[in-house]
């Protein structure tokens, strides 16, 4: 019978992970996904628990394999290592939860799951060339009270909450196990043995300790969740007033490719964009932003783009930001050019973080760039997957970021919400305009001020007042402090048995020969 319970719990967790994560997550399911296997863990043997955890995560993430292999074009060994490696870590985390719970350490058991997963996400963000792209936190990007936690802890605090709630519930609902005097778990004692244990412990009733432990765990983790939600409500008590400057984002998926400026299609696309930019500027737009890698240009063909856009910028007093691939010498760069309203020379920003495989022919940049006479920073697509880069912009005085981008269609929602979360982390307004994705403008609290899908029309335009920045956040000042705190907590939780001094008079166990 236990094998069928294990299969049922694993299947249910896998289904919840499937629908609660990925490119289109159902956010409330994410909170429940680990619960079935965590409830199972103390009810099965030490070998079954990690296997259930492994398959719950591995099967729940199967739908992501085609995206990684076919869309992002990651090598199969990398996909297999990352997907199966994280499944292994989740399985070991379930095993650690079980072991701590059966050893009479319920608070540690409830803590080890969220701490371990935060450490895993943080390690992956440092080890793989994709930044903090992979995190459960983005599933809550539309849940504003929860999302505010990112302004204090980054995505790591949201991940902690998501794993802490099911972990605490599983502890509270655990079977009524009693720790033996030797400290090891065993089968449920008979009533006679329970009475002996209770009397030897000073008369403690057989169910008193589990109940007390459950109350303590519920109180601690309930307080953590209430604190996070209270903080979120406090941050959302008022909406930031718009600055008044109007920003316009304009994109087309036709064509959805890089177009050389010296081709008829390239010159036609310049004219189509220019006429729309001029119309938007005449209607009061202060900034107009185009997508990433719209054009391909070298020093000879670049004037085909710079002449009309610079004229519009100067004549209408509007900053125009355009994304293009620029050839310089024997190197190619993914850049965003800001044509300033003042009529000066364009400001160039070069993308820092290139997509492995898809952008191996490009060279990265390393400098920040601002529109002249403003606090508006320029950034490109994948750069928003890197919290440190956005923190650097805020530390340098940025109040808003303009982000030309290029998505892959089905991942448009996720990429747009990653950008939203970066804004919440640092108190910034984000205006992001992709091809094949979601055009979005968000305020520093993560509210979507304006949004449209690029598939809605041949040319999609989003126009709105630019949201005002918020005060500098704790995350901007302290960075990934919460991830490091989880590293310390995880180390102490798993290492406590090794650090605990032997009780006086406790005989050492004989070694097996």
């Amino acid at each position: 019978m236990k094998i069928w319970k294990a299969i049922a719990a694993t299947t249910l967790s896998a289904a919840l992970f499937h629908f609660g994560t990925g490119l289109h997550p159902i956010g409330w399911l994410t909170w429940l996904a680990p619960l079935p296997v965590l409830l199972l863990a103390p009810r099965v043997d030490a070998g079954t628990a990690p296997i259930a955890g492994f398959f719950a995560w591995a099967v729940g993430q199967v739908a992501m394999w085609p995206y990684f292999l076919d869309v992002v074009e990651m090598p199969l060994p990398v996909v297999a290592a990352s997907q199966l490696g994280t499944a292994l870590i989740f399985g070991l985390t379930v095993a650690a939860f079980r072991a701590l719970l059966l050893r009479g350490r319920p608070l540690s058991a409830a803590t080890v799951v969220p701490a371990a997963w935060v450490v895993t996400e943080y390690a992956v963000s440092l080890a793989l060339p994709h930044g903090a792209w992979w995190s459960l936190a983005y599933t809550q990007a539309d849940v504003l009270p929860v999302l505010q936690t990112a302004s204090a802890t980054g995505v790591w605090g949201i991940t902690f909450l998501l794993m802490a709630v099911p972990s605490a519930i599983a502890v509270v609902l655990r079977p009524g196990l009693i720790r033996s005097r030797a400290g090891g778990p065993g089968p449920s004692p008979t009533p006679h043995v329970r009475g002996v244990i209770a009397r030897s412990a000073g008369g403690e009733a057989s169910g008193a300790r589990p109940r007390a432990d459950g109350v303590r765990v519920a109180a601690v983790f309930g307080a953590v969740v209430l604190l996070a939600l209270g903080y979120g409500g406090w941050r959302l008590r008022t909406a930031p007033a718009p600055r008044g400057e109007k920003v316009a984002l304009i994109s087309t998926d036709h064509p959805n490719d890089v177009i050389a400026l010296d081709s008829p299609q390239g010159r036609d696309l310049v004219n189509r964009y220019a006429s729309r930019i001029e119309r938007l500027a005449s209607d009061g737009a202060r900034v107009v932003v185009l997508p990433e890698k719209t054009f391909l240009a070298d020093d000879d063909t670049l004037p085909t783009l710079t002449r009309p856009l610079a004229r519009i910028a100067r004549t209408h007093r509007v900053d125009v930001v355009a994304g293009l691939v620029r050839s310089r010498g024997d190197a190619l760069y993914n850049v965003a050019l800001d044509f300033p309203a003042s009529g000066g020379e364009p400001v160039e920003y070069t993308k820092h973080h290139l997509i492995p495989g898809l952008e191996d022919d490009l060279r990265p940049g390393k400098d920040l760039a601002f529109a002249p006479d403003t606090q508006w920073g320029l950034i490109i697509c994948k750069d928003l997957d890197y919290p440190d880069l956005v923190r650097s912009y805020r530390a340098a005085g940025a109040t808003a970021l303009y982000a030309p981008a290029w998505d892959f269609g089905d991942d448009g929602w996720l990429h747009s919400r990653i950008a939203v979360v970066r804004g919440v982390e640092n108190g910034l307004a984000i205006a992001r305009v992709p091809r094949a994705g979601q055009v979005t403008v968000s305020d520093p609290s993560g509210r979507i001020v304006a949004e449209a899908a690029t598939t809605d029309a041949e040319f999609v335009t989003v126009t709105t007042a630019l949201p005002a920045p918020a005060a500098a956040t704790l995350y901007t000042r302290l960075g990934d402090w919460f991830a490091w705190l989880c590293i310390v907590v995880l180390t102490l939780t798993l290492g406590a048995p090794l650090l605990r001094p032997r009780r006086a008079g406790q005989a050492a166990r004989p070694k097996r020969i």
Side-chain angles (χ1 to χ4, degrees):
M1 181 63 70
K2 282 188 176 181
I3 186 64
W4 293 111
K5 289 182 179 179
I7 292 173
T10 303
T11 302
L12 181 55
S13 271
L16 291 169
F17 275 126
H18 172 79
F19 291 106
T21 64
L23 302 180
H24 302 283
I26 301 172
W28 65 271
L29 293 180
T30 317
W31 297 86
L32 301 175
L35 185 57
V37 291
L38 294 178
L39 288 171
L40 173 75
R43 294 168 169 85
V44 293
D45 60 63
T48 302
I51 293 173
F54 174 88
F55 280 103
W57 180 263
V59 175
Q61 300 301 300
V62 163
M64 291 299 294
W65 284 65
Y67 172 76
F68 290 133
L69 291 171
D70 302 332
V71 178
V72 186
E73 298 183 7
M74 292 173 61
L76 177 59
V78 175
V79 176
S82 61
Q83 294 294 89
L84 299 181
T86 50
L88 177 61
I89 292 172
F90 186 68
L92 294 174
T93 300
V94 173
F97 171 83
R98 176 188 181 276
L100 290 167
L101 192 56
L102 295 183
R103 283 168 172 75
R105 298 173 59 195
L107 190 58
S108 295
T111 303
V112 75
V113 176
W117 207 248
V118 168
V119 172
T120 300
E121 286 190 356
Y122 185 56
V124 169
S125 76
L126 298 177
L128 297 183
H130 295 286
W133 181 91
W134 180 73
S135 175
L136 293 178
Y138 303 121
T139 65
Q140 307 303 301
D142 289 337
V143 186
L144 293 182
V146 176
L147 181 57
Q148 306 315 303
T149 300
S151 67
T153 65
V155 292
W156 324 119
I158 299 176
T159 293
F160 188 92
L161 291 174
L162 285 167
M163 299 299 271
V165 169
S167 182
I169 293 173
V171 168
V172 172
L173 298 180
R174 75 197 187 281
L177 298 172
I178 297 179
R179 187 183 181 190
S180 72
R181 290 182 61 81
S188 297
T190 65
H192 172 71
V193 175
R194 285 200 296 268
V196 172
I197 293 174
R199 287 192 295 275
S200 68
E204 183 180 44
S206 63
R209 176 154 183 186
R211 284 196 298 270
D213 289 341
V215 170
R216 186 167 68 251
V217 169
V220 169
F221 283 87
V224 170
V225 172
L226 289 176
L227 178 64
L229 294 178
Y231 172 72
W234 175 77
R235 284 197 91 230
L236 294 169
R237 67 195 187 280
T238 56
R243 274 180 168 273
E245 294 101 338
K246 185 184 290 187
V247 56
L249 310 178
I250 182 170
S251 178
T252 180
D253 292 342
H254 308 282
N256 193 22
D257 201 356
V258 183
I259 300 298
L261 282 171
D262 58 355
S263 67
Q265 296 89 342
R267 290 188 291 271
D268 176 67
L269 188 59
V270 170
N271 292 333
R272 292 159 67 200
Y273 266 118
S275 63
R276 286 167 173 81
I277 295 169
E278 194 153 23
R279 197 156 53 242
L280 291 167
S282 300
D283 291 339
R286 174 63 182 82
V287 185
V288 180
V289 188
L290 279 58
E292 175 187 14
K293 292 196 287 193
T294 301
F295 303 102
L296 173 64
D298 57 23
D299 290 340
D300 293 331
T301 61
L302 188 60
T304 304
L305 178 70
T306 59
R307 277 197 296 262
L309 296 193
R311 176 188 59 78
I312 294 171
R314 183 178 60 254
T315 303
H316 294 277
R317 305 294 296 174
V318 57
D319 275 74
V320 180
V321 180
L324 62 148
V325 176
R326 183 168 184 178
S327 172
R328 188 181 292 113
D330 59 351
L332 294 171
Y333 301 87
N334 185 346
V335 305
L337 289 181
D338 179 279
F339 298 89
S342 60
E345 289 296 314
V347 173
E348 182 172 310
Y349 170 81
T350 302
K351 187 177 183 181
H352 289 203
H353 299 285
L354 302 169
I355 301 174
L358 294 179
E359 294 185 313
D360 287 347
D361 57 334
L362 304 176
R363 294 189 184 178
K366 59 181 180 179
D367 297 322
L368 308 182
F370 288 82
D373 305 318
T374 73
Q375 294 174 295
W376 304 333
L378 305 179
I379 199 166
I380 298 176
C381 199
K382 190 170 179 60
D383 288 339
L384 286 163
D385 295 351
Y386 292 78
D388 285 349
L389 178 56
V390 181
R391 284 178 55 227
S392 297
Y393 261 114
R394 183 59 198 252
T399 58
L401 292 179
Y402 295 121
W406 192 352
D407 295 333
F408 299 107
D410 201 36
D411 63 357
W413 180 91
L414 178 61
H415 270 151
S416 71
R417 269 36 181 196
I418 291 174
V420 170
V421 174
R422 293 290 92 81
V424 175
E425 287 175 343
N426 297 280
L428 292 170
I430 307 288
R432 182 179 184 274
V433 53
R435 284 189 282 178
Q438 297 288 120
V439 181
T440 54
V441 179
S442 61
D443 76 7
S445 296
R447 298 179 181 90
I448 304 299
V449 178
E451 182 173 27
T454 58
T455 54
D456 288 347
E458 182 178 1
F459 266 90
V460 173
T461 303
V462 167
T463 304
T464 187
L466 182 67
T473 66
L474 181 65
Y475 182 74
T476 299
R477 292 191 292 266
L478 300 182
D480 297 319
W481 67 273
F482 190 83
W484 283 99
L485 176 62
C486 286
I487 292 173
V488 172
V489 168
L490 183 63
T491 302
L492 294 177
T493 300
L494 298 180
L498 301 176
L499 299 174
R500 185 180 299 150
R502 190 182 303 279
R503 294 177 182 175
Q506 184 179 7
R509 294 182 179 180
K511 294 182 179 180
R512 293 184 178 181
I513 299 176

